[in-house]
Each structure stands twice: as C-alpha cells, then as structure tokens.
Amino acid sequence: MNVYPRRELFYKKPHTRIYRLFLIIVLILGGVWLIRGVDQGEIERPFTATATPTRSVDSYALEGDAQFTAGNLEQAITAYREAVRVNPSNAQIWGKLARIQAYASALETTDPDRLARLTDALNSIDKALELTPDDSTVHAIRAFVLDWNANPTLVGDKQAQAYLTEAEQEAVRALQLDNQNTLALVYYAEILVDQQKWTQAEQYILQALEREDAADLMDAHRVYAYVLESLGYYNQAIQEYDKAILISPNLTFLYLRAGANYRRLGFGSLNEESAMALYIKSLEYFEKAAQINEQLGVRDPTPYLSIAKSYSQMPAGDYFAAALNVQKALDFDPGNADTYGQLGIVFYKSRNFEGSIPALKCAVRGCTAEESCEARAGCAEGDPGTAVKGLALSPNTVVYYYIYGSVLAGLSRPKDNKCAEALQVLNEVALAFPNDSDIMGIVQEGRVICASVGLPAGSTTATSLPGTQEALTPTPTPTENP
C-alpha cells in the first residue's frame, strides 16, 4: 500500500527563523532600557505636564514697578520679594524693595504696623548695603529709609534723633560717591527739612530738579512739595503734589498731602466764600484717595478722618457730615483710641456734649466692647464691638483729656455728679502741663464748676462748660497730618 506524504496545504513543518528571534531579543532589551531610564529620571514619563519656566529677576522687578505705579504697594512688595528670592545677591533689587516698603508705611493705619513696615525697609536696605557698600543709590535709599524711621512717635525722641543723624551721614556719603545722584539730592533735602534746615533743603531740592531725570521722578516733586509747605508756600506745594500725582496717580498719600494743603489755605483765608471753596477742593482730594483705596481693596480710615477734619473746620462747621466720616473710619479700625478721641471732639464742637462723653472715655480711659458701640452711636447688626485701650497723656492727646474732664464737670449736677472722674482727669492734666497757661485755665474752670455742684440744681448749666476756646482745639499747621 502506497502512503503519500501530507500535502503542505494542510500541514506545515515547524521551523525557527533566526531574524524573528533576533527582533524579539532586541524588543526585550529595549523595554528593559526604557524602564530603567524612567526609574532613574533619565527619560520623562509620557503625558507629564511641561515644567513652567523660572521667571527672571527683571520680570518680577517690572511687575513690582507696575504695581507701585498702580498704587498697589502690597503686591509691589510681593513681586520684589520674589525677585530677591530668585537672586538674593542683587543689591539694586533689595534697594528698590526697601524704598517701596518705606512708602507702604504711609498706608498703615496703626503705629505698630507702620513701625513693622519701616523696620522691614531698614532690614532690606541694610542687606543691599552689605552687598554693595560703595553704591551711591543704595546709600541714598538708606538715607530715605532712616529718615522715615526717625519718627519720635514710633521710636522715641532719642532713637529718632539717632536715625536722623545717620540719615544725613548716608545722604552725604551717597553724594560723595556720585555728586550727580538725583535721588541723593532729593532725599538729602527731605532730611534737611526734618532737621529744620529749610534754606539748605530748598537749595538741594532745586539742584535735584535741574537734573534731566528729575522731571519724571515722583520723589523729586513730592519732596519739593514738602519743602514748600514747610516754608508756608501752600499753593506752590499743591502744584508740586499734582506733578507727583501725574507720575504716580494711585498713591493715596499724595492726595492726602495735597488736600491737607488746601485745607490749610482754607483755614487761613479771611474771606468765607474763598475759604469754603478751598475746603471743597480739599474734600475732592480726600475723596479721591478714598475711591482709590476702595478700588484696591485697602481699608484705610485716613481719608475719612481727613474728610471729617475738613467738614469740622469749614465756616459754620458741618459736624453731622464730620461725625459720619469719623464713624466710617471706626468701621475700618474700631479699636483705634485716637479715632474715638476725634469723634468726641466732633460731638463736642457740635454741642452734643452728652454724646461726646462715651467717645472721649474710650480715648482717655479705654472702654469695653459694649461701651465702644455706645461711643460710635451703635454698632452694625452682628458687630459685638471692640474693646479699646486708652491713650497715655501726651502733648498729642492732652486735648482729649482736658475736654473729657471739662464735659464731665460741665454736665455734673448734685444728683448726677461726675466730678470725681472729672477732677481726676483734670488733675492729671495739671500735673503734666503746669506751665501751659491756656490748659491750666481750662483746668481751673473745671475745678470751679465742680466746686459749685453743691448749689441748687440748675445753677450750673451746660453753657458754662470750660475749654470752649476755639484756639485750644487742634488746628492745622504747615506739616499737619492729613
């Protein structure tokens, strides 16, 4: 029987091809290499997000400059902090950060916050000086920062004088390194004003203004305005503040200074109509500052206190509008004892003597959260009030003390005798200011009224309140706060 081999159509003899085996080995080795590369970070995993490029120092600095011009100093500081984080050895960036930090102190609402900001500025410029000890601009900015730190209210008289002396030394050093440094001339002029060397200050700022770069330098116009107002040239000072505003239109402290100069002109005007026009101009500047703060989300009570002061100083005084604005300021800073004192003064001037007592008490003695609401003529729904710490007796706060004592004395009756507290306050004032004849006159009037409280009811009336002399209420000076 013949058996034929199977046909290949149905059966194929198995065999191995060398090329296929080689390909499989290559693929296996390639997979091992790929896995090893991914594990060691030599190969990036697929679909991994692309890394964000690191921003340059110049990029952060440009952002900081833009934010400063926009008036958003907090974001400007943040940008410059990022810049020094990227390059901590860049002295110029540290210097610019210090300048903005110093200016930002003008927007702080409490002395501790203002001091903290100025201390940060001093630390930043000290870092810049450490990096480049012979840089003229760094020395100039350090002079500026030291000058703004030389505030007796913040650091005491002795430290303030030490800062001011060092500031002058820094300005001189800056000019020794570069006598054409415009910033050094500008800041030296500001220091000379604070040293009450007005003639020299004017000479230096005029030299600075001769430089080509001064025209577009906000600092130059701001300091020239400061020199002019210290000399009593309020109209010219306003013009310079306006130039500074054109360069930096969103820096609210420029509007506050210009408005204060308009108010000073109004106070000195002999014509009631022109005085009213000047006070209205001051209100325009203060309201603009308030609008800018609102746009930037800055809760600064200063513009509202400035508005209140203008209303209260107007001919015939609009004390209702003044009180509303002080109360608005307290909404932003409800624990500020000085603001309660200003509210008490406004109530007192409007002859709302009873209403002035809670506010003045908060300023002088401090008050509980509940009492603070009473002083503010009521807190908003859900606002429990804020406890307030009273102010120490000083030349800046004595007006709150003697008016508080005077009102307590003037409203005392045999059946409602407030003289115990009144005499205690007035005696404190007498002890602190024994040589001030005006203040001692008010103290004596209060003592006389309290001595008469034992007389029949009605014999002492509110019209006998001591201390009503307008000359003893706060009045603007060439360098008053807005």
Side-chain angles (χ1 to χ4, degrees):
M1 178 176 159
N2 294 328
V3 178
Y4 297 98
R6 295 182 181 181
R7 297 178 62 183
E8 198 167 309
L9 179 65
F10 302 104
Y11 171 77
K12 188 173 183 180
K13 185 177 180 179
H15 60 274
T16 302
R17 293 185 178 179
I18 188 65
Y19 296 110
R20 179 179 299 175
L21 181 60
F22 177 76
L23 178 60
I24 292 171
I25 293 172
V26 168
L27 290 174
I28 292 172
L29 292 174
V32 171
W33 172 81
L34 181 63
I35 293 170
R36 180 177 177 276
V38 171
D39 289 342
Q40 294 183 354
E42 297 172 356
I43 300 175
E44 193 169 314
R45 295 178 182 273
F47 310 113
T48 300
T50 303
T52 304
T54 302
R55 287 180 60 181
S56 67
V57 171
D58 290 341
S59 171
Y60 283 118
L62 287 172
E63 180 188 346
D65 291 340
Q67 294 291 358
F68 180 80
T69 301
N72 198 333
L73 303 194
E74 195 62 48
Q75 291 191 22
I77 290 171
T78 299
Y80 269 103
R81 284 195 181 281
E82 285 298 303
V84 296
R85 181 188 61 79
V86 172
N87 186 359
S89 62
N90 191 319
Q92 286 68 38
I93 297 299
W94 280 108
K96 290 180 179 180
L97 171 61
R99 172 177 172 267
I100 295 175
Q101 287 171 322
Y103 274 128
S105 71
L107 305 182
E108 298 295 346
T109 59
T110 67
D111 285 348
D113 289 342
R114 191 172 297 113
L115 179 59
R117 189 70 85 181
L118 288 169
T119 301
D120 286 344
L122 192 53
N123 291 336
S124 295
I125 197 60
D126 284 347
K127 179 65 175 177
L129 187 64
E130 178 185 329
L131 292 167
T132 54
D134 294 324
D135 187 291
S136 175
T137 298
V138 168
H139 281 281
I141 295 174
R142 191 166 190 269
F144 163 63
V145 171
L146 285 165
D147 181 48
W148 276 44
N149 269 275
N151 185 334
T153 302
L154 301 179
V155 298
D157 292 332
K158 185 177 180 179
Q159 184 61 61
Q161 188 57 48
Y163 278 145
L164 197 57
T165 300
E166 191 177 359
E168 182 179 18
Q169 294 169 352
E170 286 293 312
V172 170
R173 178 60 178 156
L175 290 171
Q176 288 173 343
L177 292 167
D178 180 6
N179 61 9
Q180 300 299 309
N181 190 327
T182 304
L183 266 184
L185 290 167
V186 167
Y187 293 147
Y188 194 16
E190 184 171 18
I191 293 164
L192 290 168
V193 171
D194 293 334
Q195 293 177 326
Q196 300 183 7
K197 299 175 182 178
W198 297 290
T199 302
Q200 290 178 261
E202 187 175 22
Q203 292 172 352
Y204 274 94
I205 192 61
L206 290 176
Q207 287 181 43
L209 291 169
E210 292 174 357
R211 306 284 189 270
E212 290 184 5
D213 57 340
D216 297 325
L217 187 61
M218 179 274 293
D219 306 68
H221 297 290
R222 176 189 66 79
V223 173
Y224 189 29
Y226 183 47
V227 173
L228 289 167
E229 69 175 307
S230 71
L231 295 170
Y233 302 141
Y234 305 116
N235 275 315
Q236 295 94 318
I238 291 169
Q239 294 172 16
E240 289 301 315
Y241 278 123
D242 283 341
K243 291 177 183 178
I245 287 170
L246 284 175
I247 297 169
S248 301
N250 290 316
L251 295 182
T252 54
F253 59 82
L254 297 175
Y255 293 91
L256 296 176
R257 292 308 320 157
N261 277 270
Y262 269 118
R263 188 176 58 219
R264 183 64 184 82
L265 287 170
F267 182 81
S269 177
L270 300 177
N271 181 280
E272 185 173 312
E273 185 177 346
S274 63
M276 195 68 184
L278 291 165
Y279 279 116
I280 290 173
K281 285 294 294 183
S282 77
L283 289 173
E284 291 176 1
Y285 279 78
F286 297 144
E287 288 167 359
K288 179 63 176 178
Q291 291 172 3
I292 292 171
N293 282 339
E294 186 174 353
Q295 292 168 2
L296 295 175
V298 176
R299 293 175 61 80
D300 182 7
T302 307
Y304 299 100
L305 293 173
S306 300
I307 291 170
K309 190 178 289 187
S310 287
Y311 274 124
S312 65
Q313 289 182 3
M314 282 179 173
D318 189 342
Y319 298 110
F320 179 74
L324 288 178
N325 279 279
V326 179
Q327 289 166 334
K328 177 71 172 179
L330 282 171
D331 288 342
F332 289 160
D333 190 10
N336 192 314
D338 188 76
T339 306
Y340 284 94
Q342 294 187 50
L343 181 60
I345 296 292
V346 170
F347 284 149
Y348 176 79
K349 287 184 175 182
S350 66
R351 305 187 69 80
N352 180 6
F353 302 121
E354 291 83 356
S356 71
I357 289 178
L360 290 168
K361 178 181 183 296
C362 287
V364 173
R365 299 303 195 205
C367 56
T368 64
E370 183 179 356
E371 288 172 332
S372 75
C373 286
E374 180 187 359
R376 294 162 59 186
C379 291
E381 185 177 352
D383 182 357
T386 303
V388 181
K389 182 181 179 181
L391 298 165
L393 179 58
S394 73
N396 292 328
T397 64
V398 64
V399 63
Y400 305 144
Y401 274 75
Y402 68 64
I403 290 183
Y404 180 48
S406 297
V407 173
L408 289 173
L411 295 182
S412 290
R413 302 292 183 273
K415 293 184 178 181
D416 183 16
N417 195 335
K418 300 177 175 64
C419 277
E421 173 69 1
L423 289 175
Q424 184 174 343
V425 172
L426 293 173
N427 288 338
E428 290 175 21
V429 171
L431 187 63
F433 299 90
N435 299 319
D436 190 310
S437 58
D438 291 327
I439 291 177
M440 288 305 298
I442 293 174
V443 169
Q444 188 57 33
E445 288 182 56
R447 288 170 172 171
V448 169
I449 290 176
C450 281
S452 69
V453 169
L455 297 175
S459 61
T460 301
T461 65
T463 57
S464 64
L465 279 168
T468 56
Q469 297 98 323
E470 195 65 28
L472 289 177
T473 58
T475 56
T477 61
T479 55
E480 65 159 341
N481 291 325

